[in-house]
Amino acid sequence: MHDQNFKNLILDYPVQALEFFAGEEAGSDLSEARIVPVRQEQLMERLGERFRELDTPLLVEWSDGRREAILFVVEEETKTSEFSIYRLARYCLDLAELMGTDRVVPVVIFLRTGDQRSYLRLGSDSCAYMEFRYLMCKLKSLPSVRYYDSDNIVARLNLPNMAYPPEDRLEMYLAAQTGLARLETSPEKQRKYADFIDFYADLSEEEVIRYRDSYLSEKGEIMGLVSVLKEEGRQEGRQEGRQEGRQEGRQEGRQEGRQEGRQEGSYSTYFNLIQNMKKKNLSDKDIAILINLDIDIVKKIMNKEQVDIPLHLLDQDK
């Protein structure tokens, strides 16, 4: 389960994954490179039983030749006690031979705490005939608070896997979900990685209740918040619009009533939500991103100024 979760994460966000898990080797120009996952079928055919599906080899190439291509071998290790530096060394040697390159960077992500061997030396007292080491990312050794405001989505999604005091658990969870909402625009991936956060945060029922009471409106989770707000506004608007439309008996009345009702319903719900988030010290920018409103509109709603909620927000997902 864990290995597949991290494999998906790395393949969905290869640049951010390498920058976070292998920053000292990734460099600052990965966004300009071509990152190609090495095909499992090819590895299985050539390496046979030596191939491990848990590993994620990524070939990084620069079309302008600024850097030589380099192969990152990323492995997630759930149980530190099961990690074998010999197995990793063999796999890297196999890949190097298969790909015809000596430019290989092994990276191991340790999900749990524990001791592991970080250096392998084969040789005698007088000479080392083979040496092997790898980059390691020990998630439980990283203080989550350091990454609360990170622009790297892989770091934000892994906040639950880092170290944090128990009393900061809900704040950490909010920072992870806020980062997902801010840094990922695809609704499909938002849903996918909201589940990733929930899986590793593993909030208790009591914590979920406290989280909703402290950080959210009366209903909805942070990733479903916008759709909940839209639906509430649409339902209130449709009801008032139909009533006014029937009373006036004119199409114009129905249309205007629907829009006016939706505006009023959405304004009220947005106002309550914004007030609740401000109490929890969220910035105006974060609030605007989370609820998909212009920051100027957010400020006007906070000041109880009359504004028109953009119709595309009311009509979206209709």
Side-chain angles (χ1 to χ4, degrees), residues 241 244-245 248-260:
E244 290 189 19
E248 296 181 10
R250 293 184 288 115
Q251 177 66 31
E252 297 95 313
R254 288 196 297 271
Q255 179 66 25
E256 291 176 5
R258 279 196 298 269
Q259 291 182 0
E260 182 179 344

Side-chain angles (χ1 to χ4, degrees), residues 60-76:
V60 183
E61 302 173 316
W62 287 264
S63 59
D64 59 6
R66 72 182 72 177
R67 292 169 64 184
E68 277 189 68
I70 190 166
L71 183 67
F72 287 86
V73 181
V74 186
E75 174 183 331
E76 181 274 330

Side-chain angles (χ1 to χ4, degrees), residues 18-19 22-35 59-72 103 105:
L18 291 179
E19 288 176 343
E24 58 194 272
E25 285 286 356
S28 59
D29 57 353
L30 276 184
S31 59
E32 301 172 36
R34 177 173 175 257
I35 302 179
L59 182 63
V60 183
E61 302 173 316
W62 287 264
S63 59
D64 59 6
R66 72 182 72 177
R67 292 169 64 184
E68 277 189 68
I70 190 166
L71 183 67
F72 287 86
R103 290 174 57 81
V105 177

Side-chain angles (χ1 to χ4, degrees), residues 256-297:
E256 291 176 5
R258 279 196 298 269
Q259 291 182 0
E260 182 179 344
R262 281 151 59 200
Q263 289 283 354
E264 291 178 2
S266 292
Y267 185 94
S268 175
T269 313
Y270 275 119
F271 177 79
N272 292 333
L273 175 65
I274 291 171
Q275 291 299 312
N276 193 49
M277 288 184 166
K278 286 300 292 183
K279 290 177 183 177
K280 303 306 170 186
N281 298 321
L282 268 73
S283 68
D284 295 349
K285 181 179 178 182
D286 281 346
I287 294 173
I289 291 172
L290 283 170
I291 61 179
N292 198 23
L293 283 180
D294 185 85
I295 192 168
D296 292 332
I297 293 180

